[in-house]
Amino acid sequence: MAKKKTRTKTNTGKKSTKFSFKLNRQQKVVLGSFLMLFGLALSVAFISFLFNWEVDQSTLGEFSNREVETKNWLSKFGASVSDFFMYKGFGVAAFIFSILVSYSGFHLFLGVKSTKLRESWFWGILIMLWLAIFFGFFAANNPLLGGRIGYEMNDFLQDYLGFFGTILLMLFLFIAYLSLRLKLTPELISGFVQSKKESLNKEFQSNKEEISATEEETDWKEQVVPKQEKPTEKTSAEIKLEKTPPKEETPTPSPKPAKKEDSGEVEMEVETTEEEEVEEDKISNKIVKDFGEFDPTLELSNYKFPTLELLQEYGGGITVDQEELEEHKNRIVDTLKNYKIEIAQIKATVGPTVTLYEIVPEAGIRISKIKNLEDDIALSLSALGIRIIAPIPGKGTIGIEVPNKNSTIVSMRSVIASPKFQNAEMELPMALGKTISNETFVVDLAKMPHMLMAGATGQGKSVGLNAILTSLLYSKHPAEVKFVLVDPKKVELTLFNKIERHYLAKLPDSGDAIITDNTKVINTLNSLCIEMDDRYELLKDAMVRNIKEYNVKFKARKLNPENGHKFLPYIVLVVDEFADLIMTAGKEVETPIARLAQLARAIGIHLIIATQRPSVNVITGIIKANFPARIAFRVTSKIDSRTILDGQGADQLIGRGDMLFTQGNELKRLQCAFVDTPEVDKITEFIGSQKAYPEAHQLPAYEADDSGTGVDIDVSERDKLFREAAEVIVTAQQGSASLLQRKLKLGYNRAGRIIDQLEAAGIVGPFEGSKARQVLVTDLAALDQLLNEE
């Protein structure tokens, strides 16, 4: 068979050429400079022509005669060009042409890529024509106003439209320009005027009320510490102790550190980092007012953020104890050698409370073998809270955390003043403390979106809550965040009562904003569920997915307040002791908490729940599934550690603010920032002394549905065992259906109906959740008297 040959045709004769005009950089500079100077020359000639045009008109016919002189500042060229553009052209509107020429040259000269240059020429020429026609109305008295083009076009329009028709056409073109080019609409103009009017009125009222506060404001400004840039201090201590090669081997050149001859020890590097502090109180400059946008902080525009001077500085930086590091290092190496585990390298990172020893084992050593020696290493070091991380995520090392003999207090001031917190671009920044490497740890509550905090009594939970609230007070304006505080202990969060009208939210017609009564907690949680549903309706109408997009749209005035839209602040629910609520209210608390945890993240409601003992009946599976961010202070058992963290580690902490943080991935060991009660008192006093809102932020009203129906008021419809049941209840002074079931051998439904009848008769009180009803009758004699009166 003959093979077919395939040919590929190549077009070598004809070439398709496409002309493209493109200037290099040097050519753009030359052309740009020419256009800029030419536009400037045109402006100079036009200005001179305005004063000398009558004299220069007679010399225009003798342009080639060098003996004829003109009055124009650019001589004959200026007079000719001005006559063409102004007298025979567009009149004084010709200045727009010179500006456009210079503008184009400026862009070419600088090499700026402007996509709007063509658009500028288009609108510039239209404005030039409009002005020429407009000034054409007055061209009979002064021909330079509209030029010949303006006069002729004006005359042409008046022939066909008349004088008033021409005016109406010009007015329509002017409105079209304002709307299409400048984006001006009646709503935008009226909104701008109204906002300016309101701001002036409020400023007048605030100045009238706060004349006496001028001196305090001056003192506050003087208290702001000037910015001092401190260089990052790095303290390092090296203990070079690497393995020595056998004597018979010839040493080869190597870039590694020099090795000692008489020791079989390993090298250890010690590092500690002092973080730079920004002393300047940058938070007071956070309120940025954009022109034309709605400003939610306008009502409290003079609000001042707390200063750093209100916080106390505890001690200095971290000190490196070389003897302690050397001793711990030798004991770790010796302990591992006893179990035939060789170490290639060891490095120590000193933190405020804990020192992390990172070891690199020799090849072939199993990690689980080192992990199982946790208790042996703790015994050799005589230290509390040894924790082994095998391996450290993201590194090829094994970490051994050893507590320092002399721990350093992490002050809240050092955390707030750090650049990481000051420059944090977060919705709800929280400065929790510092890591083992002495770096400030800042997280965003809005991205968590809820946080669970657990730990034994006295291990730092309340201080941790104060640190979180302090972080938000230092970073967010009262218009941007509101707190709902639940404090069953009645003593932990009472200091925040001073900022009730600034930052707190509560139910209508309620007394204190800090909730201590369990009944009010249930109503508040259900009220937050109503608020959540209302906010989702607003997001649905605005066609956005979360609160951030909604507030951006509202600030841009794209949502009408008349339709119910308003600026939505973040709401942070803080519960100090969750276990007490579960014990007293049970499902009535767990159900709304679960609803909020599942759904409230998108509309800006975030939960922070703290508890002493994280048992499974308190922190149920539903709650744990919706609280990926968890903080564990020291707990007493490994079971509690597994409950809160799904793993061990919290039982090996040393207390006093030592904590583990997880956000669903790896564990981070932190030292919680310490903020004392007097510091919180100073901060709340500073905020509370300023002008506030008329009242605290109002949550939606909620009325609890009692289980007692009150329908069996008719005596004839009462149960046959009603009187006997009443005597049982009054005798036992315990109003519960289960008591009637046991004493009278009734079913649950019948016992429940009798309880409802007893409530209607005024013998027992209303439904109170899992608690027994209150018995309103003291003894049998009072019962007989009550029943006989019916």
Side-chain angles (χ1 to χ4, degrees):
M1 287 179 76
K3 293 183 179 179
K4 292 184 179 181
K5 294 183 179 180
T6 59
R7 294 183 180 180
T8 58
K9 294 183 179 181
T10 58
N11 240 341
T12 57
K14 295 182 180 180
K15 292 183 179 179
S16 61
T17 59
K18 186 177 181 181
F19 176 76
S20 63
F21 179 74
K22 189 174 183 181
L23 299 176
N24 56 30
R25 185 72 187 97
Q26 292 77 14
Q27 292 170 339
K28 287 182 179 180
V29 171
V30 173
L31 181 59
S33 60
F34 169 75
L35 291 176
M36 280 194 298
L37 296 176
F38 181 66
L40 180 62
L42 288 178
S43 299
V44 172
F46 294 165
I47 294 172
S48 177
F49 193 72
L50 289 174
F51 303 101
N52 305 312
W53 69 276
E54 293 179 345
V55 178
D56 292 342
Q57 285 290 95
S58 59
T59 63
L60 292 177
E62 301 179 9
F63 185 82
S64 59
N65 189 355
R66 298 178 61 182
E67 295 180 357
V68 176
E69 295 181 359
T70 60
K71 297 291 185 179
N72 195 286
W73 296 339
L74 293 186
S75 191
K76 295 180 180 180
F77 169 78
S80 301
V81 171
S82 301
D83 178 69
F84 176 77
F85 280 101
M86 296 187 72
Y87 188 82
K88 298 178 180 178
F90 304 95
V92 293
F95 279 97
I96 295 177
F97 179 78
S98 64
I99 294 172
L100 289 173
V101 172
S102 296
Y103 179 73
S104 303
F106 179 75
H107 277 267
L108 285 173
F109 184 80
L110 295 181
V112 179
K113 294 182 179 179
S114 177
T115 57
K116 295 186 178 181
L117 192 59
R118 187 179 301 175
E119 184 180 353
S120 300
W121 272 93
F122 172 78
W123 288 105
I125 292 173
L126 288 181
I127 295 172
M128 190 165 59
L129 288 172
W130 189 90
L131 288 175
I133 298 172
F134 176 77
F135 287 121
F137 284 102
F138 317 102
N141 299 326
N142 190 346
L144 279 190
L145 289 178
R148 185 173 296 173
I149 292 178
Y151 177 79
E152 294 294 340
M153 291 185 68
N154 187 23
D155 190 53
F156 174 80
L157 289 173
Q158 290 195 34
D159 287 343
Y160 285 93
L161 298 178
F163 179 76
F164 289 104
T166 304
I167 291 178
L168 294 176
L169 176 63
M170 297 292 289
L171 182 61
F172 168 74
L173 294 175
F174 178 71
I175 294 173
Y177 175 77
L178 292 179
S179 179
L180 297 176
R181 176 64 173 166
L182 302 182
K183 312 294 184 187
L184 290 178
T185 59
E187 292 83 5
L188 185 61
I189 296 173
S190 62
F192 174 74
V193 173
Q194 185 67 21
S195 64
K196 286 296 179 183
K197 184 178 179 181
E198 291 177 358
S199 63
L200 289 175
N201 289 336
K202 289 178 181 178
E203 185 176 357
F204 174 76
Q205 292 294 336
S206 62
N207 290 337
K208 188 176 179 181
E209 295 173 359
E210 300 179 0
I211 294 176
S212 60
T214 308
E215 295 181 359
E216 295 181 8
E217 184 176 354
T218 305
D219 295 340
W220 177 81
K221 289 181 179 177
E222 292 175 355
Q223 288 176 5
V224 179
V225 184
K227 182 176 180 180
Q228 298 177 354
E229 293 187 359
K230 297 181 181 179
T232 303
E233 300 176 4
K234 203 173 231 185
T235 307
S236 62
E238 294 186 359
I239 306 172
K240 299 181 179 179
L241 300 162
E242 283 215 349
K243 286 191 173 180
T244 307
K247 293 183 180 180
E248 55 269 20
E249 288 185 8
T250 305
T252 56
S254 174
K256 295 183 179 179
K259 301 179 181 179
K260 290 193 175 183
E261 296 181 357
D262 301 328
S263 66
E265 299 180 356
V266 295
E267 177 182 353
M268 180 174 73
E269 298 177 0
V270 182
E271 289 187 0
T272 172
T273 304
E274 289 295 333
E275 193 171 7
E276 176 187 2
E277 287 191 5
V278 181
E279 292 292 340
E280 182 181 4
D281 193 6
K282 293 183 180 178
I283 306 174
S284 59
N285 300 322
K286 279 183 175 290
I287 304 175
V288 181
K289 297 180 180 178
D290 297 329
F291 177 79
E293 287 192 351
F294 172 76
D295 184 9
T297 65
L298 192 61
E299 189 171 351
L300 296 183
S301 57
N302 295 326
Y303 174 80
K304 303 177 186 66
F305 284 88
T307 61
L308 295 175
E309 300 300 326
L310 301 174
L311 296 171
Q312 188 175 345
E313 185 67 55
Y314 296 93
I318 297 175
T319 57
V320 178
D321 189 346
Q322 291 290 346
E323 294 183 0
E324 180 183 347
L325 293 174
E326 181 71 20
E327 180 184 356
H328 286 172
K329 167 252 174 188
N330 290 333
R331 289 188 177 182
I332 290 174
V333 173
D334 293 341
T335 303
L336 295 177
K337 277 185 178 180
N338 292 337
Y339 293 92
K340 298 181 182 180
I341 298 175
E342 300 293 333
I343 298 176
Q345 184 182 354
I346 184 170
K347 173 185 175 183
T349 303
V350 182
T353 307
V354 176
T355 299
L356 174 65
Y357 294 87
E358 296 183 50
I359 62 174
V360 179
E362 292 283 3
I365 302 297
R366 295 174 64 88
I367 293 178
S368 59
K369 195 174 182 181
I370 300 176
K371 181 70 175 175
N372 294 333
L373 297 177
E374 191 169 34
D375 296 334
D376 297 279
I377 296 174
L379 178 64
S380 65
L381 294 176
S382 302
L384 174 67
I386 297 295
R387 180 169 168 263
I388 295 180
I389 311 170
I392 297 177
K395 295 183 179 180
T397 59
I398 296 173
I400 302 176
E401 294 175 350
V402 181
N404 299 335
K405 291 182 179 178
N406 299 316
S407 60
T408 303
I409 296 177
V410 176
S411 65
M412 196 69 201
R413 175 168 179 165
S414 64
V415 172
I416 294 293
S418 65
K420 198 165 186 180
F421 179 79
Q422 295 279 352
N423 304 325
E425 295 181 358
M426 300 177 179
E427 296 298 316
L428 296 173
M430 300 189 309
L432 299 179
K434 292 193 175 182
T435 62
I436 289 180
S437 57
N438 202 37
E439 295 179 358
T440 302
F441 188 75
V442 183
V443 289
D444 190 359
L445 178 61
K447 292 183 178 179
M448 287 184 178
H450 312 295
M451 189 168 68
L452 192 61
M453 185 184 296
T457 303
Q459 304 303 319
K461 291 192 310 301
S462 297
V463 175
L465 288 177
N466 286 337
I468 292 171
L469 294 173
T470 302
S471 301
L472 296 175
L473 291 178
Y474 267 86
S475 59
K476 307 306 290 184
H477 190 274
E480 297 173 325
V481 64
K482 301 295 179 184
F483 301 120
V484 178
L485 304 181
V486 178
D487 183 14
K489 296 180 185 176
K490 304 181 182 180
V491 293
E492 294 293 347
L493 302 175
T494 52
L495 289 175
F496 294 94
N497 266 326
K498 298 177 183 178
I499 60 172
E500 174 180 337
R501 293 190 296 142
H502 290 86
Y503 281 99
L504 300 190
K506 65 178 184 179
L507 290 172
D509 301 327
S510 62
D512 295 333
I514 310 257
I515 306 166
T516 57
D517 186 14
N518 291 338
T519 305
K520 292 183 179 179
V521 174
I522 297 170
N523 294 341
T524 303
L525 292 176
N526 286 286
S527 175
L528 285 174
C529 291
I530 297 173
E531 175 75 11
M532 175 183 69
D533 296 335
D534 293 343
R535 289 192 173 196
Y536 269 118
E537 287 296 327
L538 293 177
L539 263 62
K540 176 184 175 183
D541 294 340
M543 292 184 290
V544 293
R545 297 181 61 187
N546 54 53
I547 186 175
K548 187 176 180 181
E549 296 176 2
Y550 178 88
N551 284 337
V552 169
K553 204 168 183 179
F554 185 81
K555 286 181 181 179
R557 301 185 184 276
K558 296 180 180 178
L559 300 175
N560 192 350
E562 295 181 357
N563 296 333
H565 292 289
K566 57 185 177 181
F567 181 81
L568 300 179
Y570 286 92
I571 297 178
V572 180
L573 170 64
V574 179
V575 181
D576 188 26
E577 187 47 68
F578 186 63
D580 183 67
L581 296 181
I582 291 295
M583 290 174 62
T584 56
K587 290 289 183 182
E588 289 184 281
V589 167
E590 184 181 349
T591 302
I593 285 283
R595 280 205 69 210
L596 292 171
Q598 291 169 348
L599 301 175
R601 63 192 70 182
I603 44 86
I605 299 178
H606 302 281
L607 281 60
I608 300 175
I609 291 178
T611 183
Q612 287 183 359
R613 188 175 185 276
S615 55
V616 291
N617 61 336
V618 174
I619 303 175
T620 60
I622 296 177
I623 293 178
K624 283 184 65 175
N626 293 284
F627 284 79
R630 299 171 197 168
I631 289 178
F633 292 92
R634 186 169 183 265
V635 294
T636 54
S637 66
K638 293 183 179 180
I639 297 175
D640 292 344
S641 178
R642 291 193 189 100
T643 304
I644 182 66
L645 296 176
D646 296 327
Q648 297 183 14
D651 56 311
Q652 297 166 328
L653 300 176
I654 60 175
R656 295 179 61 85
D658 189 20
M659 68 183 191
L660 292 173
F661 173 82
T662 180
Q663 204 166 347
N665 39 30
E666 60 176 309
L667 288 175
K668 291 183 181 293
R669 191 166 185 174
L670 309 172
Q671 178 62 37
C672 181
F674 179 69
V675 52
D676 204 0
T677 303
E679 297 175 71
V680 178
D681 191 20
K682 289 180 183 178
I683 295 170
T684 55
E685 184 69 33
F686 179 85
I687 296 174
S689 62
Q690 301 183 51
K691 181 183 176 183
Y693 294 106
E695 57 184 359
H697 183 76
Q698 298 294 310
L699 297 174
Y702 174 80
E703 295 182 1
D705 295 329
D706 295 334
S707 63
T709 59
V711 295
D712 296 328
I713 300 176
D714 192 355
V715 178
S716 62
E717 296 181 0
R718 288 176 179 173
D719 194 280
K720 295 179 180 179
L721 297 177
F722 173 80
R723 187 178 185 89
E724 188 176 352
E727 293 176 354
V728 170
I729 293 294
V730 172
T731 303
Q733 286 294 303
Q734 180 183 353
S736 65
S738 59
L739 177 65
L740 297 180
Q741 287 180 266
R742 295 194 306 272
K743 295 292 185 180
L744 303 179
K745 299 179 182 180
L746 303 176
Y748 179 77
N749 293 333
R750 188 177 180 184
R753 285 194 299 270
I754 294 176
I755 286 291
D756 292 340
Q757 295 169 6
L758 292 172
E759 180 189 353
I763 299 173
V764 296
F767 179 71
E768 296 182 9
S770 58
K771 294 170 60 177
R773 295 174 183 252
Q774 183 181 1
V775 181
L776 304 178
V777 180
T778 56
D779 52 26
L780 295 178
L783 176 63
D784 292 336
Q785 182 180 357
L786 177 65
L787 296 179
N788 292 332
E789 290 177 355
E790 295 180 347

